[in-house]
Structures are given as C-alpha cells and as structure tokens.
Amino acid sequence: MDPNPPELVENKVIVEIDTQPIKRRRKKKSMVWDHFTTETTTSGTTKAFCNHCNKSYAYMSGGKASGTSHLKRHIELGICDKCPKTNLLVPNNKKQRRDQDGCSREMAKMIIMHDYPLHMVEHPGFASFVKALRPQYSVSSFDAVRGDCVEMFMSEKQKLSELIGDIPGGVNLTVDLWLSTQSVGYAFVTGHFVDKDWRLTHRLLNVSVVACPDSDSALNQPVARCLSEWKLEGRVSSLTLSQSSVSKACVDNLRGFLSFRNQHVLNGQLLMGECYARVLSSMAQEALAADEEIREAVKKVRDSVKCVTTNEACGDKFEEVKRLFQPSSSAPYRDLLIDSQGRWDTSYEMLLAGYEHRQLFSCLETCCPGYKISISPEEWRKIESLCLCLKVLYEAGEVLTRPNHLKTANCFYKEMTKLQLELSHHTAVGEEGLGNLVNSLREKFDLYWRGCYLVAAVAAVMDPRYKMQHVKETFTESYGEEDAEEWIKTVGDAVHDLYHSYSDHNLIDSYVDDGFTETEVVVVAQEPHFHQDNGKEQLGGETSPQSEQTTESCCQHETQPKVEKQNVSEEYQDHTSFMDDVLLEEGSTLVTVGDSFSDFEITDIPEMKPELDQYLDDGLVSKSEEDFDVLGWWRVNSTNYPTLSKMAADLLSVPFSTVSAESVFDTEVKQMDSYRTSLPRGTLEALLCTKDWLKNQTL
C-alpha cells in the first residue's frame, strides 16, 4: 500500500499553505514584543511599555478582547520617535482613518491655541501646503473642523467639572466685560479656586453674549448661567468685576441677585470689589494727563524719541553724542522705545528712558538741524516727578503679572498697604509741581481700599507667618496707634465671624454626611456675619437689601434662637427633639435650651480652645519670603485646622483682578474682533474656553 496516497499529499499541501498567515502573524507578534514589555501595576492592571520611549498602553491578554493592534500602530506609524529602527509599513484603510482622525484633532488644537480662523482649512494655499506635506491626508471642511473643536471643548469641560467637584473649598468668580463694534457685549466669567492638590488655579468657565451691556441687569444672566452649568449655587465665595465697564446700578443689582441665589456663603455678603488692575490703569492715565503742562511735556518726550528712532540722520548724530557722554564704566542707557497708546507701562518706560537721555536731547538741539524740539529744565523736572508717581503704580501692577502660585490674596494685602504708604509719603513731601495730582491719586486709591481692605486683611491673617501681627503693624503705620485700634478690631471681628460661619456649615455638612437632608437639620439662625455695628464697613463695602432685612430681623430676635423645620419625617423625630434642646454654641461652651440635659452638669464638659483661637495663639511660622508656600502649609495642616483650612482655601484664592496677566497694563476695555462676533455663540465659547484650558495645561 502506498504510504503517501495522493489525497493525503494534497491535504498536506493544503495544510502547509494555510499555516503561512499564522507564521506571518507570529512574526509580527514577535516584532511587537521585541519593542514592548508588559508590566502589572499596583492596581492590578497590565500595561505594555515601549522599550525605547517608555510610552504605556493598556493591554489585556487571555481573552477575546486581547490584541496588539494599538501596539503595532505605535511601531508602524512612526509614533515612537526614539526607536533606532522603526518599520514603517504602508497603512491599511483602517490605519489611514486613524491617522486622519489624529491629524484632524491636532489641526483643531492648533486653530484653538493660536486663534486661527476656522475658514483657514478652506484656503487654497493652506490646502496646497498640507498636500505637499502629506498627499494622503484629506483636509477637513469648515464644518468638520468646527465639530472637532466643539467635541474637544465638551470632552475637556467634563474633566474640568470633575476637577471643580473635588476642590476643598468654594469658587471665587471674576467677570470681565468685553465690548464689540456691534451693540452687544461679551461677559468672560472665570473661576478661581484651590484645587484638590492645594494649588491656586483659575479657569475660564463661560463666555456669554450680553445683549444690552448698558442695562442694570446686564451681568445677571451670565452669572446665573455659570452657577447653573457648573453647579456652583451655594459655592461662590466672592465675585470681582470692574466698575469701569459697568454702572454702579448694575453692580448693586448683581449683588442683590447673588445674595438671593447664594445665601449660604458669607451670609449673602459677597466681595463686589473693583478690578485692581483697572484701578491702577485709571490712576496711571490720570497721572499722564493731569494738566496741560504735563501733557505737553509728555508729548515732547514722545516726539523726541520718535525723531531719534525713525530719522536716520538724527539717530546717527544721537548715537555719536551718546558715545561722548557715557563713560565705559557706567551703566548703559535704557533703550529708547516709542510707547503704545494702549498700554500705560510702555509710556512709563519711554519717559524713564527719555529722562535718562535728557542731556543728550539738549545737545541734539544744537548739533542736529533735523531735531527741532526744545524741552526746558522745568519740563524735565515734571517728567522726573511724574516718573516717581508712575513707578509706584508700575511696581504695584507687576504683582499681577507674577506666576499664578505667587498671587494668593495674602500677597495683595502686603502690596496694597505698601502702595498706600508710598502714596501718603509722596503727598507728605509734595512732589514738585504735582501736589494736586498725588493727592488725587491717593484719594482714588483710598476709595478703592475701603471697599476691599477687609477681605484682603482677613486673607493676610491666613498667612501663618504674620496672622494678626502684620495687620496691626500696617494699620498702626498708616493711621497711628489711636485710630488704628478701630480698624484692627474690625478685622479681628470679621475673622471670628467668618470662622463661626464656616463652623456652622461644617456642622450642617456633618449631619448631611450622616444621612440627613439639609431640610431635616434644625439650624439656629445667628446674627449676620461680617455685619459691623454703627455703620462700619461690611465685607463687600456696601449692604445689599437682603442683608439689611436679615440684620433687622435678627436684631429683633437676637435673644431667641430662630428654628427652621421643614418636612421632618417621623423616623427622625427623636433626633430633632434632641437638637431642639441643644443648639446654642457660644465660643467653647455648649448651652442647653430644653430639659434633655437637666441632669448633666455643664461644668463637666472640659473647655476646649476653639480652632481659630488655637491658630492665632500658636507661634508664627518662621519662613523667608522666597521659599514659603502658604497653600502648601495649609494642605499639611488641614487635619489640625479642618474648618480654618476651608476658610483659608476660599480667602487665599480671592482674585483682585478680572484681567489676564498680559492685560494688566491695558488702558482700554477689550474689544471682540469682527471675525469672532461672526461665529455662533456656542462655537465662540468653545474656542475661547478650550484655549484657556490648553494654556493652563488641562489637556
């Protein structure tokens, strides 16, 4: 019998042909594991790590869902830029689609980050450029790239929402109103907070169209929308906006609106201060245009700089004179630059450099026929005095341009009190020819200071290096020992009132955590926190109608605890009856109201020092200015001071400026350009918010 019958040989050949794809797959699989190594993480999941660039990918083995396609793409598409020998294979249609999607996402990110118009994808020049780079890539249409941008916005909005949900404290809001060539405005609402890692953070939350920016309720809708979309009702600690772009009536209207929507925060009294950057800008512009003589002197310096920097003959002669006047050992002159009319810091720098070159300009009058500007010694003295005033404002503004972690509210108290003292000093010595101007600047800043000093001072108390000591020193230096006592007492009372407010909220939260709803918790109403008797300042500088009514009501019943009961179920009757009996806390002493504790001696309760008193009585932290992280200190000590740490998180993240660091020295209200105003409002918000999140590394 033939040992190898034909049909078996034929079957053998068929089997050999079928095994070839298996061998090729094994070869590819071997190539993958030459490139990757699997490791099991501490959480029990398995990941594949590239041996060259250490990039990790999720990997599952031993099931139908296992596979190495995503690992092959890392090799075949050249994603690994550190691999010495990458095998680039011709991608199949599925890989091409993935590549196309990846390029589309990167294009959307590029457009968002650099404010490129969405229509650029339809420009023939751009399409030709992309075709030359990658012929197989199909450029997205306008609608497609807009969809990619909105999709990126929605994805990152969800991540930001989760980030805000995990923060230890509340959120402080700023509202900056931009104008446009149309009759509508744009409200930029930004949230400032301390994140779960105790880092100072700010994110643009909404950009809303304001139909009537001049109306008294212009900002109500944008703020209400922000509270609703980001679930911030009851979580807003403060709100800062610029009164330079809205009316006082609008501010008052918004204060009342917020007090109603956000009653539990600071008893409805919110910081409604002006933007610090806008105040400094207004003061600088007033200084630069104080009177006709100053305006004329500034114009002569500006024209002199223009002549030297734009006229070649004058510029050459000026450099020749400079070499004669400047010894080799002296510090070099500042560069002469023409100022920008939209930024007052450039005007200050121009005047400062011009004053340094005053002797050279005087010589240029006699040796350069093309230079026909004459600046008298008296005008130079005015320029010198003006530069001294602007220097104080410039240094104050520089604080707002610092990195984010150096802009906690305690730093602003120090800088603001420094500015106040320097303005007072210039008023006392009387700058030559500028006495009235300095007085006017000091009065303008004092008006702003009275509206925000309380919040700034309470934030300064949250700095463990100073506590109340720094507040006492600065008020004593500013107002003298006798007058300072009242200011210091106001700050001390505010700190204690705010602490008790946070303690009350922590008590409610503890019952809610135990399974009760807020309506099932019996709350004893106390006098409104931050209310100062005899007409003293409140936290927000002004009293809202709601807070006045609350104050009047509480004063009428200050000896009787106000009890609110709503929808208390029978299953909690015993618990609430207990709470009826024991619900007055005065300092560290628990006072009973009913008979439940009739057999219990109050003196048996050991007196415990309140958390705030413990903090204030503890010694000051000895740290230098450069290396101290106040938020890091509160993160470490949050277990020792659980209530105070929440209070510190809210107060230290209070923003005093509504504008970005690059706009601190602007002299004009921001304008929305015509391209952006032509976009649908949803697309505009997606582009602007996602750009902010990209810049702040949320992606």
Side-chain angles (χ1 to χ4, degrees):
M1 185 175 181
D2 190 347
N4 295 309
E7 62 274 9
L8 294 179
V9 173
E10 183 177 354
N11 289 340
K12 183 178 181 181
V13 172
I14 292 174
V15 170
E16 288 179 350
I17 293 174
D18 287 342
T19 58
Q20 292 305 310
I22 297 175
K23 291 180 180 179
R24 285 197 296 271
R25 286 196 296 271
R26 286 176 179 171
K27 184 177 181 181
K28 283 189 178 182
K29 191 169 184 179
S30 175
M31 177 188 68
V32 167
W33 297 119
D34 288 340
H35 203 96
F36 283 87
T37 302
T38 58
E39 291 182 16
T40 302
T41 64
T42 55
S43 60
T45 60
T46 302
K47 288 191 174 184
F49 291 85
C50 175
N51 297 330
H52 302 284
C53 67
N54 205 37
K55 186 175 178 64
S56 64
Y57 293 87
Y59 177 72
M60 182 185 299
S61 60
K64 293 183 178 181
S66 62
T68 58
S69 299
H70 58 308
L71 307 181
K72 294 174 187 174
R73 287 196 296 273
H74 181 81
I75 305 169
E76 296 170 355
L77 298 181
I79 298 174
C80 180
D81 57 353
K82 294 186 179 181
C83 179
K85 185 178 181 181
T86 303
N87 295 320
L88 292 175
L89 305 179
V90 178
N92 57 27
N93 290 337
K94 192 173 183 180
K95 292 176 182 177
Q96 285 179 343
R97 285 195 297 273
R98 292 195 187 100
D99 194 19
Q100 175 84 12
D101 293 341
C103 290
S104 296
R105 283 192 297 271
E106 288 301 315
M107 180 175 293
K109 187 184 293 186
M110 174 192 71
I111 288 173
I112 292 171
M113 289 176 63
H114 302 292
D115 293 325
Y116 295 142
L118 292 169
H119 291 90
M120 70 174 291
V121 296
E122 297 178 345
H123 294 171
F126 178 75
S128 299
F129 170 70
V130 173
K131 199 73 174 176
L133 286 177
R134 193 174 181 85
Q136 64 270 38
Y137 176 69
S138 176
V139 180
S140 302
S141 65
F142 171 85
D143 290 334
V145 74
R146 181 173 61 180
D148 291 338
C149 292
V150 173
E151 181 181 358
M152 185 179 294
F153 163 73
M154 295 302 296
S155 173
E156 295 309 315
K157 185 175 183 179
Q158 178 61 34
K159 295 178 183 178
L160 181 55
S161 181
E162 294 171 0
L163 173 66
I164 293 176
D166 292 336
I167 64 177
V171 176
N172 301 283
L173 298 180
T174 59
V175 183
D176 192 28
L177 185 64
W178 288 28
L179 302 179
S180 68
T181 55
Q182 301 173 342
S183 59
V184 299
Y186 295 84
F188 286 66
V189 184
T190 303
H192 304 252
F193 52 89
V194 173
D195 67 16
K196 64 179 181 180
D197 297 318
W198 284 84
R199 293 174 299 195
L200 188 61
T201 307
H202 63 88
R203 296 292 183 267
L204 180 61
L205 301 180
N206 292 100
V207 179
S208 299
V209 178
V210 180
C212 301
D214 297 329
S215 70
D216 293 346
S217 59
L219 300 181
N220 288 15
Q221 189 276 333
V223 173
R225 178 181 169 225
C226 178
L227 297 180
S228 175
E229 282 191 10
W230 296 93
K231 298 179 176 61
L232 295 180
E233 291 193 357
R235 299 185 65 193
V236 176
S237 300
S238 70
L239 189 146
T240 307
L241 50 84
S242 175
Q243 290 188 358
S244 62
S245 55
V246 296
S247 65
K248 184 178 183 300
C250 181
V251 175
D252 293 339
N253 190 302
L254 183 58
R255 179 183 289 112
F257 170 79
L258 275 174
S259 297
F260 175 74
R261 297 291 293 271
N262 213 81
Q263 299 177 40
H264 299 296
V265 180
L266 305 185
N267 275 351
Q269 298 184 57
L270 305 176
L271 169 65
M272 299 294 295
E274 280 194 80
C275 170
Y276 187 38
R278 303 279 195 199
V279 171
L280 295 176
S281 178
S282 175
M283 294 169 67
Q285 291 179 80
E286 181 180 340
L288 288 166
D291 55 44
E292 184 62 34
E293 292 181 353
I294 290 179
R295 290 194 294 270
E296 183 63 26
V298 171
K299 183 178 183 304
K300 286 184 177 181
V301 175
R302 181 180 292 116
D303 291 342
S304 297
V305 173
K306 286 181 181 180
C307 182
V308 169
T309 55
T310 61
N311 186 304
E312 186 174 352
C314 285
D316 292 342
K317 181 61 70 174
F318 189 81
E319 292 298 324
E320 181 182 333
V321 174
K322 182 189 289 189
R323 287 191 291 269
L324 296 175
F325 271 84
Q326 183 174 357
S328 57
S329 59
S330 64
Y333 286 105
R334 297 174 186 268
D335 292 334
L336 289 175
L337 298 172
I338 303 173
D339 65 331
S340 168
Q341 297 295 302
R343 290 181 61 93
W344 67 265
D345 60 321
T346 61
S347 299
Y348 163 64
E349 291 168 347
M350 177 199 70
L351 294 174
L352 198 60
Y355 182 76
E356 285 187 358
H357 291 83
R358 62 191 182 281
Q359 289 183 321
L360 306 186
F361 284 122
S362 297
C363 292
L364 207 61
E365 292 181 44
T366 59
C367 64
C368 181
Y371 180 78
K372 302 183 182 298
I373 304 169
S374 177
I375 306 177
S376 68
E378 176 64 23
E379 288 174 320
W380 280 123
R381 282 193 290 271
K382 287 186 178 293
I383 294 296
E384 180 185 16
S385 298
L386 179 59
C387 286
L388 289 175
C389 290
L390 293 175
K391 180 177 183 290
V392 174
L393 302 177
Y394 178 78
E395 291 177 348
E398 277 193 313
V399 179
L400 297 168
T401 65
R402 291 175 179 173
N404 202 43
H405 66 282
L406 298 176
K407 291 191 288 191
T408 47
N410 59 308
C411 299
F412 283 101
Y413 177 80
K414 178 181 178 182
E415 297 299 330
M416 287 178 181
T417 52
K418 175 185 174 184
L419 173 58
Q420 185 187 44
L421 289 171
E422 288 183 341
L423 288 174
S424 299
H425 170 73
H426 284 298
T427 302
V429 299
E431 298 295 343
E432 186 173 356
L434 296 178
N436 292 335
L437 169 62
V438 176
N439 273 327
S440 177
L441 295 181
R442 190 195 63 179
E443 290 173 2
K444 177 171 286 191
F445 182 76
D446 283 347
L447 182 63
Y448 166 74
W449 172 246
R450 286 178 177 273
C452 70
Y453 84 91
L454 194 54
V455 174
V458 174
V461 177
M462 294 293 100
D463 190 329
R465 296 170 297 173
Y466 305 112
K467 302 180 181 179
M468 283 295 295
Q469 177 180 314
H470 187 47
V471 172
K472 293 176 181 178
E473 291 174 351
T474 51
F475 280 131
T476 301
E477 188 174 2
S478 297
Y479 304 108
E481 290 189 8
E482 185 175 348
D483 293 338
E485 290 183 4
E486 185 176 353
W487 292 81
I488 296 169
K489 183 180 183 304
T490 302
V491 174
D493 291 344
V495 172
H496 282 82
D497 286 344
L498 186 58
Y499 168 71
H500 287 304
S501 176
Y502 274 77
S503 298
D504 293 343
H505 287 117
N506 282 351
L507 178 64
I508 294 174
D509 292 342
S510 66
Y511 279 106
V512 172
D513 291 341
D514 288 338
F516 298 97
T517 65
E518 288 194 28
T519 56
E520 293 168 336
V521 178
V522 182
V523 180
V524 176
Q526 299 179 353
E527 283 190 6
H529 303 302
F530 280 91
H531 175 70
Q532 304 298 325
D533 295 332
N534 302 322
K536 294 179 186 177
E537 299 283 344
Q538 290 189 321
L539 180 65
E542 297 181 35
T543 308
S544 66
Q546 288 82 351
S547 62
E548 289 180 354
Q549 295 171 4
T550 305
T551 302
E552 182 179 353
S553 174
C554 289
C555 289
Q556 293 173 356
H557 307 283
E558 60 181 347
T559 60
Q560 300 179 7
K562 179 182 176 183
V563 181
E564 295 178 1
K565 291 184 180 180
Q566 298 179 10
N567 302 328
V568 182
S569 62
E570 293 182 1
E571 110 183 69
Y572 299 119
Q573 287 297 322
D574 294 339
H575 175 76
T576 55
S577 63
F578 162 77
M579 294 178 63
D580 284 340
D581 294 332
V582 191
L583 269 180
L584 281 183
E585 186 176 354
E586 297 181 356
S588 61
T589 304
L590 193 64
V591 181
T592 61
V593 182
D595 298 327
S596 297
F597 283 159
S598 59
D599 298 329
F600 191 81
E601 293 292 337
I602 297 297
T603 56
D604 293 341
I605 302 178
E607 184 174 353
M608 298 180 63
K609 183 180 289 189
E611 192 179 310
L612 175 61
D613 293 345
Q614 182 67 47
Y615 168 75
L616 295 176
D617 291 344
D618 287 346
L620 301 178
V621 174
S622 178
K623 291 286 186 180
S624 65
E625 294 287 341
E626 292 76 16
D627 60 0
F628 183 69
D629 178 7
V630 65
L631 292 177
W633 188 90
W634 280 105
R635 175 180 58 80
V636 172
N637 289 275
S638 59
T639 54
N640 297 330
Y641 307 110
T643 300
L644 277 178
S645 62
K646 291 184 178 181
M647 182 171 153
D650 291 347
L651 287 167
L652 293 174
S653 59
V654 169
F656 286 88
S657 175
T658 66
V659 300
S660 59
E662 56 269 19
S663 301
V664 166
F665 298 103
D666 287 356
T667 58
E668 301 171 350
V669 176
K670 287 284 188 179
Q671 292 270 345
M672 193 71 75
D673 59 64
S674 57
Y675 162 68
R676 286 175 171 171
T677 58
S678 68
L679 294 172
R681 61 185 62 183
T683 303
L684 176 64
E685 183 175 53
L687 295 174
L688 294 174
C689 287
T690 312
K691 178 185 178 181
D692 177 80
W693 302 339
L694 281 166
K695 185 175 66 174
N696 288 288
Q697 299 178 347
T698 59
L699 296 184

